[in-house]
Amino acid sequence: MDWDRLRIFHAVADAGSLTHAGESLNLSQSAVSRQIRHLEEALACTLFHRHARGLILTEQGELLFEATKSMAKRLDSATARIRDAEDEVFGELRVTATTGFGTLWLAPRLGRLYDQYPNLKIQLLLEERVLDLPMREADVAIRMKEPSQADIIRRRLIDIRMRLYASPDYIAAKGLPRTVDELSDHRLLFFTIDSHQVSAGRQWMQRFVDNENTSRLSVNNYFGVLQAVRHGLGIGALPEYLAVDSPDLVNVLPEEASDTIPVYFAYAQELRQSKRVEAFRDFVLAEISGLRKALGG
């Protein structure tokens, strides 16, 4: 098979359109179509079903796309390792983290990293799904559980807990509960129980949700819960690292907390010499050290 045709096929399969693939490859639609036709003739099979809304891969096309995706990731990995042979820290770094941690803790601190390395290009991939590091779905991961994948370098950063918080205005208006039973008189704000989240947080919050409350609000991300707490809607279950950046929040029932939730830093072994990964790791360790001190650890 012609390598250039495989490259064009991969772009078309990824885009689902001859036009969009041509734009990304700087080729005309007719040129892209011609190369796909030649590849289908060489393989003696049809790779795409054509319809009005675009292109859909056939079974044979899906098989070939899996192969070209693997090739593309390996090429990306080789390119990154070649670039990391340079002394200067630059280029793209793909960082995956949970939506809450990435949005509310990591992103606000990245300015200090850019001050050190202005030529670094960071792509944040914030989602609850665990991305495959050896397959280069991301370069670096910060996760709320120990990675189970093979060929991964991992480091435990810190242990955190979930706690209950409210705004001073809410406490002034509704009062401060002194026992768990008194929570039934307050509106609870929490991460939606059946959403994907760490089990320690879900199990802890389930105890309170099972009680009869006059009102409650569930949100499928911690940003929404935090905003609701700040605006005095009720008492919210939040990871304690958020309280460091929101010192005005009141810790309700301080003796109540979830089991510890470990936070891990991880990356593929093939990136162990990466200057970009090293720079980002050192930055995270420094920031986590500050968090640990703020939490009294």
Side-chain angles (χ1 to χ4, degrees):
M1 286 183 283
D2 185 285
W3 285 98
D4 198 47
R5 287 174 184 163
L6 288 176
R7 177 178 65 89
I8 294 171
F9 162 79
H10 181 81
V12 174
D14 191 49
S17 162
L18 294 173
T19 302
H20 292 158
E23 291 172 353
S24 67
L25 296 169
N26 198 27
L27 294 172
S28 67
Q29 179 179 339
S30 60
V32 173
S33 178
R34 184 167 55 253
Q35 293 301 320
I36 294 298
R37 185 173 65 254
H38 289 328
L39 182 59
E40 289 179 325
E41 290 172 353
L43 293 172
C45 69
T46 300
L47 298 172
F48 295 97
H49 291 304
R50 280 80 169 171
H51 64 84
R53 291 177 296 173
L55 301 176
I56 296 179
L57 287 166
T58 63
E59 183 178 354
Q60 293 84 355
E62 289 281 3
L63 290 172
L64 186 59
F65 189 39
E66 285 300 315
T68 59
K69 281 195 293 187
S70 178
M71 291 163 55
K73 288 174 181 176
R74 289 181 178 275
L75 286 172
D76 287 344
S77 176
T79 301
R81 294 178 67 180
I82 291 169
R83 288 176 176 171
D84 283 327
E86 304 290 338
D87 290 334
E88 185 182 359
V89 175
F90 74 101
E92 185 173 293
L93 183 70
R94 293 168 298 168
V95 178
T96 179
T98 59
T99 305
F101 193 84
T103 302
L104 298 169
W105 187 86
L106 178 60
R109 290 166 167 77
L110 287 176
R112 290 191 278 274
L113 179 63
Y114 282 121
D115 287 343
Q116 289 181 275
Y117 306 107
N119 295 322
L120 199 57
K121 301 174 182 176
I122 298 172
Q123 180 183 7
L124 287 182
L125 306 170
L126 305 181
E127 54 183 292
E128 308 311 312
R129 182 173 67 93
V130 177
L131 301 188
D132 193 324
L133 298 182
M135 288 301 293
R136 296 305 305 279
E137 288 187 333
D139 301 312
V140 172
I142 301 176
R143 307 303 306 187
M144 303 300 166
K145 63 182 294 187
E146 183 173 7
S148 59
Q149 295 168 293
D151 301 324
I152 291 292
I153 297 173
R154 69 209 69 194
R155 177 166 182 164
R156 193 164 183 158
L157 297 174
I158 193 173
D159 290 338
I160 61 172
R161 295 175 184 269
M162 299 288 297
R163 296 185 183 274
L164 296 171
Y165 296 95
S167 70
D169 289 344
Y170 179 84
I171 297 300
K174 303 294 184 180
L176 181 68
R178 302 294 180 181
T179 66
V180 171
D181 289 341
E182 290 182 10
L183 286 176
S184 61
D185 299 325
H186 295 264
R187 181 180 299 115
L188 290 183
L189 320 171
F190 53 92
F191 198 122
T192 306
I193 294 296
D194 58 0
S195 292
H196 188 84
Q197 58 182 297
V198 293
S199 58
R202 178 190 293 110
Q203 291 168 4
W204 175 68
M205 195 60 210
Q206 188 71 60
R207 297 170 46 224
F208 308 123
V209 173
D210 286 342
N211 293 331
E212 287 299 324
N213 292 77
T214 56
S215 181
R216 63 181 59 173
L217 171 68
S218 65
V219 189
N220 66 345
N221 63 69
Y222 284 122
F223 178 74
V225 178
L226 177 61
Q227 289 295 89
V229 170
R230 283 175 171 166
H231 287 80
L233 269 70
I235 296 173
L238 292 166
E240 59 187 357
Y241 63 78
L242 293 181
V244 173
D245 295 333
S246 302
D248 59 315
L249 295 185
V250 178
N251 184 190
V252 177
L253 301 177
E255 70 281 3
E256 285 293 332
S258 71
D259 291 338
T260 57
I261 301 167
V263 182
Y264 279 87
F265 185 93
Y267 55 96
Q269 287 189 12
E270 65 185 48
L271 292 177
R272 62 186 178 277
Q273 302 299 326
S274 168
K275 300 292 191 302
R276 294 167 298 131
V277 171
E278 180 182 354
F280 185 75
R281 181 200 62 203
D282 291 347
F283 157 75
V284 170
L285 290 176
E287 295 294 329
I288 286 290
S289 177
L291 174 60
R292 191 179 292 111
K293 291 177 182 177
L295 293 176

PDB file of all heavy atoms in Angstrom, residues 8-29:
ATOM      1  N   ILE A   8      -3.773   9.989   3.390  1.00  0.00           N
ATOM      2  CA  ILE A   8      -4.991  10.649   2.901  1.00  0.00           C
ATOM      3  C   ILE A   8      -6.232   9.908   3.393  1.00  0.00           C
ATOM      4  O   ILE A   8      -7.211  10.531   3.817  1.00  0.00           O
ATOM      5  CB  ILE A   8      -4.960  10.733   1.366  1.00  0.00           C
ATOM      6  CG1 ILE A   8      -3.826  11.666   0.922  1.00  0.00           C
ATOM      7  CG2 ILE A   8      -6.307  11.206   0.818  1.00  0.00           C
ATOM      8  CD1 ILE A   8      -3.572  11.660  -0.575  1.00  0.00           C
ATOM      9  N   PHE A   9      -6.189   8.566   3.332  1.00  0.00           N
ATOM     10  CA  PHE A   9      -7.317   7.774   3.846  1.00  0.00           C
ATOM     11  C   PHE A   9      -7.582   8.103   5.311  1.00  0.00           C
ATOM     12  O   PHE A   9      -8.738   8.297   5.725  1.00  0.00           O
ATOM     13  CB  PHE A   9      -7.021   6.276   3.703  1.00  0.00           C
ATOM     14  CG  PHE A   9      -7.904   5.410   4.565  1.00  0.00           C
ATOM     15  CD1 PHE A   9      -9.204   5.110   4.183  1.00  0.00           C
ATOM     16  CD2 PHE A   9      -7.434   4.921   5.783  1.00  0.00           C
ATOM     17  CE1 PHE A   9     -10.029   4.333   4.991  1.00  0.00           C
ATOM     18  CE2 PHE A   9      -8.257   4.148   6.592  1.00  0.00           C
ATOM     19  CZ  PHE A   9      -9.551   3.851   6.200  1.00  0.00           C
ATOM     20  N   HIS A  10      -6.523   8.192   6.115  1.00  0.00           N
ATOM     21  CA  HIS A  10      -6.677   8.475   7.548  1.00  0.00           C
ATOM     22  C   HIS A  10      -7.353   9.831   7.761  1.00  0.00           C
ATOM     23  O   HIS A  10      -8.238   9.968   8.616  1.00  0.00           O
ATOM     24  CB  HIS A  10      -5.314   8.445   8.243  1.00  0.00           C
ATOM     25  CG  HIS A  10      -5.391   8.690   9.714  1.00  0.00           C
ATOM     26  ND1 HIS A  10      -5.736   7.703  10.607  1.00  0.00           N
ATOM     27  CD2 HIS A  10      -5.192   9.827  10.451  1.00  0.00           C
ATOM     28  CE1 HIS A  10      -5.741   8.203  11.833  1.00  0.00           C
ATOM     29  NE2 HIS A  10      -5.418   9.491  11.761  1.00  0.00           N
ATOM     30  N   ALA A  11      -6.950  10.818   6.984  1.00  0.00           N
ATOM     31  CA  ALA A  11      -7.536  12.159   7.115  1.00  0.00           C
ATOM     32  C   ALA A  11      -9.018  12.138   6.751  1.00  0.00           C
ATOM     33  O   ALA A  11      -9.841  12.773   7.414  1.00  0.00           O
ATOM     34  CB  ALA A  11      -6.784  13.147   6.236  1.00  0.00           C
ATOM     35  N   VAL A  12      -9.376  11.397   5.700  1.00  0.00           N
ATOM     36  CA  VAL A  12     -10.779  11.314   5.281  1.00  0.00           C
ATOM     37  C   VAL A  12     -11.608  10.581   6.332  1.00  0.00           C
ATOM     38  O   VAL A  12     -12.709  11.015   6.698  1.00  0.00           O
ATOM     39  CB  VAL A  12     -10.900  10.612   3.915  1.00  0.00           C
ATOM     40  CG1 VAL A  12     -12.367  10.392   3.552  1.00  0.00           C
ATOM     41  CG2 VAL A  12     -10.201  11.423   2.831  1.00  0.00           C
ATOM     42  N   ALA A  13     -11.087   9.454   6.834  1.00  0.00           N
ATOM     43  CA  ALA A  13     -11.810   8.675   7.840  1.00  0.00           C
ATOM     44  C   ALA A  13     -11.997   9.484   9.114  1.00  0.00           C
ATOM     45  O   ALA A  13     -13.048   9.421   9.765  1.00  0.00           O
ATOM     46  CB  ALA A  13     -11.060   7.376   8.139  1.00  0.00           C
ATOM     47  N   ASP A  14     -11.005  10.257   9.475  1.00  0.00           N
ATOM     48  CA  ASP A  14     -11.074  11.066  10.693  1.00  0.00           C
ATOM     49  C   ASP A  14     -12.061  12.216  10.541  1.00  0.00           C
ATOM     50  O   ASP A  14     -12.812  12.544  11.462  1.00  0.00           O
ATOM     51  CB  ASP A  14      -9.686  11.610  11.032  1.00  0.00           C
ATOM     52  CG  ASP A  14      -9.623  12.230  12.406  1.00  0.00           C
ATOM     53  OD1 ASP A  14     -10.086  11.585  13.369  1.00  0.00           O
ATOM     54  OD2 ASP A  14      -9.112  13.352  12.535  1.00  0.00           O
ATOM     55  N   ALA A  15     -12.085  12.820   9.356  1.00  0.00           N
ATOM     56  CA  ALA A  15     -12.962  13.965   9.120  1.00  0.00           C
ATOM     57  C   ALA A  15     -14.369  13.548   8.703  1.00  0.00           C
ATOM     58  O   ALA A  15     -15.326  14.295   8.902  1.00  0.00           O
ATOM     59  CB  ALA A  15     -12.357  14.872   8.046  1.00  0.00           C
ATOM     60  N   GLY A  16     -14.496  12.375   8.092  1.00  0.00           N
ATOM     61  CA  GLY A  16     -15.795  11.932   7.598  1.00  0.00           C
ATOM     62  C   GLY A  16     -16.256  12.696   6.378  1.00  0.00           C
ATOM     63  O   GLY A  16     -17.439  12.683   6.028  1.00  0.00           O
ATOM     64  N   SER A  17     -15.303  13.342   5.700  1.00  0.00           N
ATOM     65  CA  SER A  17     -15.658  14.187   4.560  1.00  0.00           C
ATOM     66  C   SER A  17     -14.450  14.373   3.658  1.00  0.00           C
ATOM     67  O   SER A  17     -13.349  14.631   4.138  1.00  0.00           O
ATOM     68  CB  SER A  17     -16.153  15.550   5.058  1.00  0.00           C
ATOM     69  OG  SER A  17     -16.124  16.517   4.044  1.00  0.00           O
ATOM     70  N   LEU A  18     -14.664  14.259   2.357  1.00  0.00           N
ATOM     71  CA  LEU A  18     -13.585  14.511   1.397  1.00  0.00           C
ATOM     72  C   LEU A  18     -13.186  15.982   1.427  1.00  0.00           C
ATOM     73  O   LEU A  18     -11.997  16.313   1.360  1.00  0.00           O
ATOM     74  CB  LEU A  18     -14.044  14.130  -0.015  1.00  0.00           C
ATOM     75  CG  LEU A  18     -14.313  12.641  -0.281  1.00  0.00           C
ATOM     76  CD1 LEU A  18     -14.920  12.470  -1.672  1.00  0.00           C
ATOM     77  CD2 LEU A  18     -13.027  11.832  -0.174  1.00  0.00           C
ATOM     78  N   THR A  19     -14.168  16.859   1.543  1.00  0.00           N
ATOM     79  CA  THR A  19     -13.890  18.301   1.530  1.00  0.00           C
ATOM     80  C   THR A  19     -13.050  18.714   2.725  1.00  0.00           C
ATOM     81  O   THR A  19     -12.029  19.406   2.589  1.00  0.00           O
ATOM     82  CB  THR A  19     -15.205  19.100   1.522  1.00  0.00           C
ATOM     83  OG1 THR A  19     -15.975  18.720   0.382  1.00  0.00           O
ATOM     84  CG2 THR A  19     -14.926  20.586   1.479  1.00  0.00           C
ATOM     85  N   HIS A  20     -13.460  18.294   3.943  1.00  0.00           N
ATOM     86  CA  HIS A  20     -12.724  18.667   5.148  1.00  0.00           C
ATOM     87  C   HIS A  20     -11.329  18.052   5.168  1.00  0.00           C
ATOM     88  O   HIS A  20     -10.367  18.692   5.608  1.00  0.00           O
ATOM     89  CB  HIS A  20     -13.502  18.237   6.390  1.00  0.00           C
ATOM     90  CG  HIS A  20     -14.772  19.005   6.576  1.00  0.00           C
ATOM     91  ND1 HIS A  20     -15.843  18.539   7.330  1.00  0.00           N
ATOM     92  CD2 HIS A  20     -15.168  20.213   6.103  1.00  0.00           C
ATOM     93  CE1 HIS A  20     -16.816  19.420   7.306  1.00  0.00           C
ATOM     94  NE2 HIS A  20     -16.437  20.444   6.562  1.00  0.00           N
ATOM     95  N   ALA A  21     -11.227  16.818   4.690  1.00  0.00           N
ATOM     96  CA  ALA A  21      -9.902  16.181   4.620  1.00  0.00           C
ATOM     97  C   ALA A  21      -9.009  16.931   3.645  1.00  0.00           C
ATOM     98  O   ALA A  21      -7.822  17.150   3.920  1.00  0.00           O
ATOM     99  CB  ALA A  21     -10.049  14.716   4.204  1.00  0.00           C
ATOM    100  N   GLY A  22      -9.571  17.333   2.511  1.00  0.00           N
ATOM    101  CA  GLY A  22      -8.790  18.091   1.534  1.00  0.00           C
ATOM    102  C   GLY A  22      -8.289  19.399   2.099  1.00  0.00           C
ATOM    103  O   GLY A  22      -7.145  19.802   1.845  1.00  0.00           O
ATOM    104  N   GLU A  23      -9.125  20.069   2.889  1.00  0.00           N
ATOM    105  CA  GLU A  23      -8.712  21.332   3.502  1.00  0.00           C
ATOM    106  C   GLU A  23      -7.553  21.126   4.465  1.00  0.00           C
ATOM    107  O   GLU A  23      -6.613  21.920   4.499  1.00  0.00           O
ATOM    108  CB  GLU A  23      -9.901  21.966   4.231  1.00  0.00           C
ATOM    109  CG  GLU A  23     -10.992  22.470   3.289  1.00  0.00           C
ATOM    110  CD  GLU A  23     -12.239  22.910   4.039  1.00  0.00           C
ATOM    111  OE1 GLU A  23     -12.297  22.689   5.285  1.00  0.00           O
ATOM    112  OE2 GLU A  23     -13.166  23.457   3.406  1.00  0.00           O
ATOM    113  N   SER A  24      -7.604  20.053   5.253  1.00  0.00           N
ATOM    114  CA  SER A  24      -6.531  19.796   6.214  1.00  0.00           C
ATOM    115  C   SER A  24      -5.241  19.355   5.522  1.00  0.00           C
ATOM    116  O   SER A  24      -4.147  19.591   6.038  1.00  0.00           O
ATOM    117  CB  SER A  24      -6.968  18.729   7.222  1.00  0.00           C
ATOM    118  OG  SER A  24      -7.128  17.466   6.597  1.00  0.00           O
ATOM    119  N   LEU A  25      -5.380  18.724   4.353  1.00  0.00           N
ATOM    120  CA  LEU A  25      -4.211  18.234   3.618  1.00  0.00           C
ATOM    121  C   LEU A  25      -3.729  19.216   2.550  1.00  0.00           C
ATOM    122  O   LEU A  25      -2.718  18.964   1.892  1.00  0.00           O
ATOM    123  CB  LEU A  25      -4.551  16.900   2.945  1.00  0.00           C
ATOM    124  CG  LEU A  25      -4.884  15.724   3.875  1.00  0.00           C
ATOM    125  CD1 LEU A  25      -5.468  14.568   3.068  1.00  0.00           C
ATOM    126  CD2 LEU A  25      -3.637  15.277   4.631  1.00  0.00           C
ATOM    127  N   ASN A  26      -4.487  20.297   2.366  1.00  0.00           N
ATOM    128  CA  ASN A  26      -4.182  21.278   1.313  1.00  0.00           C
ATOM    129  C   ASN A  26      -4.244  20.629  -0.068  1.00  0.00           C
ATOM    130  O   ASN A  26      -3.395  20.880  -0.941  1.00  0.00           O
ATOM    131  CB  ASN A  26      -2.804  21.926   1.541  1.00  0.00           C
ATOM    132  CG  ASN A  26      -2.639  23.222   0.765  1.00  0.00           C
ATOM    133  OD1 ASN A  26      -3.624  23.905   0.469  1.00  0.00           O
ATOM    134  ND2 ASN A  26      -1.416  23.566   0.419  1.00  0.00           N
ATOM    135  N   LEU A  27      -5.269  19.808  -0.257  1.00  0.00           N
ATOM    136  CA  LEU A  27      -5.505  19.138  -1.537  1.00  0.00           C
ATOM    137  C   LEU A  27      -6.931  19.425  -1.976  1.00  0.00           C
ATOM    138  O   LEU A  27      -7.807  19.687  -1.157  1.00  0.00           O
ATOM    139  CB  LEU A  27      -5.310  17.618  -1.408  1.00  0.00           C
ATOM    140  CG  LEU A  27      -3.907  17.103  -1.101  1.00  0.00           C
ATOM    141  CD1 LEU A  27      -3.961  15.598  -0.823  1.00  0.00           C
ATOM    142  CD2 LEU A  27      -2.950  17.392  -2.255  1.00  0.00           C
ATOM    143  N   SER A  28      -7.176  19.339  -3.291  1.00  0.00           N
ATOM    144  CA  SER A  28      -8.531  19.523  -3.790  1.00  0.00           C
ATOM    145  C   SER A  28      -9.368  18.291  -3.473  1.00  0.00           C
ATOM    146  O   SER A  28      -8.836  17.191  -3.253  1.00  0.00           O
ATOM    147  CB  SER A  28      -8.515  19.755  -5.300  1.00  0.00           C
ATOM    148  OG  SER A  28      -8.077  18.572  -5.971  1.00  0.00           O
ATOM    149  N   GLN A  29     -10.682  18.468  -3.447  1.00  0.00           N
ATOM    150  CA  GLN A  29     -11.569  17.348  -3.177  1.00  0.00           C
ATOM    151  C   GLN A  29     -11.403  16.260  -4.222  1.00  0.00           C
ATOM    152  O   GLN A  29     -11.412  15.062  -3.901  1.00  0.00           O
ATOM    153  CB  GLN A  29     -13.016  17.819  -3.140  1.00  0.00           C
ATOM    154  CG  GLN A  29     -14.020  16.696  -2.884  1.00  0.00           C
ATOM    155  CD  GLN A  29     -15.450  17.194  -2.827  1.00  0.00           C
ATOM    156  OE1 GLN A  29     -15.687  18.364  -2.589  1.00  0.00           O
ATOM    157  NE2 GLN A  29     -16.401  16.306  -3.066  1.00  0.00           N
TER     158      GLN A  29
END
